[in-house]
Every structure is written in C-alpha cells, then in structure tokens.
C-alpha cells in the first residue's frame, strides 16, 4: 500500500511490474491493488488499465456548489 500511495497521480499500475519491483508474488500485488481500489487510491478502467488517482474525500459527494444549485433552479 505504501508503494501505491507514493506513486504520482496518473501513473499506470500493473500487477507484474509491481510484483517485480517489490519482490512479491503476483497474487500479493493483485490483492494490494484491489485493496487500494477499495480505499479510492486507484481506479481500473477497461482498455486503460489501473491508474493511480487522487484519494476521494469523504462527505464531498453529498455537497453541492452554489453554481450547481443555480443550474438546477434555472433548468
């Protein structure tokens, strides 16, 4: 997890490369990537692969900006 957290946002991850870099099995690397996905550190997209993303903040999903309210009201 520490390895994934230190990667720059936008960095692509692969199970094989991570396993080679950390001298662990591919199964262990896969589990770490899945855990990081659960924590919001990475996102896996079809045809793109697994990419390091910025961690999502809790509670931010329920907030709405004034601009968004204005667009809703005008709509």
């Amino acid at each position: 997890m520490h390895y994934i957290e230190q990667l720059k946002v936008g960095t692509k991850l692969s199970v094989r490369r991570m396993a080679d870099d950390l001298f662990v099995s591919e199964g262990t690397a896969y589990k770490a990537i899945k855990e990081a996905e659960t924590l919001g550190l990475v996102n896996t997209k079809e045809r793109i692969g697994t990419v390091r993303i910025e961690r999502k903040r809790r509670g931010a999903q329920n907030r709405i900006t004034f601009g968004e309210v204005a667009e809703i009201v005008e709509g």
Side-chain angles (χ1 to χ4, degrees), residues 11-14 42-52:
T11 303
K12 286 189 174 184
L13 285 162
S14 90
V42 298
N43 193 7
T44 303
K45 297 277 186 176
E46 191 174 329
R47 297 183 186 222
I48 295 173
T50 304
V51 180
R52 171 71 165 94

Side-chain angles (χ1 to χ4, degrees), residues 3 5 14 17 19 21 23 28 32 39 41 44 57 63 71:
Y3 173 83
E5 289 173 346
S14 90
R17 178 177 232 181
D21 289 348
F23 303 105
T28 302
L39 295 174
L41 293 173
T44 303
R57 291 183 283 164
R63 294 186 181 185
E71 284 182 34

Side-chain angles (χ1 to χ4, degrees), residues 6-67:
Q6 290 190 341
L7 292 174
K8 292 170 67 176
V9 173
T11 303
K12 286 189 174 184
L13 285 162
S14 90
V15 171
R16 287 183 182 162
R17 178 177 232 181
M18 192 171 147
D20 289 343
D21 289 348
L22 299 176
F23 303 105
V24 296
S25 72
E26 289 180 8
T28 302
Y30 179 81
K31 287 179 187 178
I33 289 173
K34 285 300 177 185
E35 181 66 24
E37 194 170 11
T38 303
L39 295 174
L41 293 173
V42 298
N43 193 7
T44 303
K45 297 277 186 176
E46 191 174 329
R47 297 183 186 222
I48 295 173
T50 304
V51 180
R52 171 71 165 94
I53 60 172
E54 194 167 336
R55 178 177 252 163
K56 298 174 188 172
R57 291 183 283 164
R58 290 186 179 196
Q61 297 171 346
N62 296 335
R63 294 186 181 185
I64 189 165
T65 65
F66 180 75

